[in-house]
Amino acid sequence: MTLSAMFTDLLAVVAALGVFNTVLLTTRERRWDLGMLKTIGMTPRQITVLAAASVTAIGAAGGLLGIPVGVVAHWLIVDNVGVVAFPESIKDVWRLPQLAGLAVAGVVIAVLGALAPARSAARLTIGEVLHTE
């Protein structure tokens, strides 16, 4: 494994933890909203699916926007550093299967981050949800 591949993997793990944490906290903050949906008759399963679907849409949009911007930024930075001459192995690191895997992984990480707090909120009684506010 090359140094650039290891660095890319490390960046992917750090980004995944950031996405997971953000989604987890955002869904946890929406507990009151999810509890209110329960008051109008939604089942716990419907609430969990709703939370996961909303995060899936955000994750997909982030991947569709973030991956092309990241690739362009990589090309611009590596080609225009000026002081260091990077070898071609560092410049040419992106492959279509890898990019597709990153997009899918982003959505999966977002959904996994949302499932636990959404299920937790869906299992609470209406009184418990409203009492926490």
Side-chain angles (χ1 to χ4, degrees):
M1 180 178 270
T2 65
L3 182 62
S4 64
M6 289 176 24
F7 186 65
T8 301
D9 291 343
L10 177 65
L11 287 175
V13 168
V14 170
L17 290 174
V19 168
F20 186 80
N21 184 45
T22 302
V23 169
L24 183 88
L25 292 175
T26 302
T27 306
R28 190 174 280 276
E29 288 176 3
R30 290 180 56 200
R31 287 175 71 154
W32 189 82
D33 298 335
L34 298 174
M36 293 307 292
L37 292 173
K38 203 170 183 181
T39 64
I40 61 172
M42 288 185 78
T43 65
R45 182 180 181 144
Q46 290 173 325
I47 292 171
T48 303
V49 169
L50 174 76
S54 67
V55 169
T56 301
I58 293 169
L64 290 174
L65 179 67
I67 289 174
V69 169
V71 170
V72 169
H74 176 263
W75 285 335
L76 290 173
I77 291 170
V78 170
D79 286 341
N80 296 313
V81 169
V83 178
V84 179
F86 290 106
E88 287 300 317
S89 63
I90 291 179
K91 291 182 181 181
D92 187 29
V93 295
W94 305 108
R95 303 280 184 266
L96 188 58
Q98 179 188 24
L99 296 176
L102 287 172
V104 170
V107 171
V108 168
I109 290 165
V111 169
L112 290 176
L115 280 179
R119 288 185 63 180
S120 168
R123 288 182 180 156
L124 292 176
T125 64
I126 297 166
E128 289 172 326
V129 170
L130 296 178
H131 182 68
T132 60
E133 282 298 312

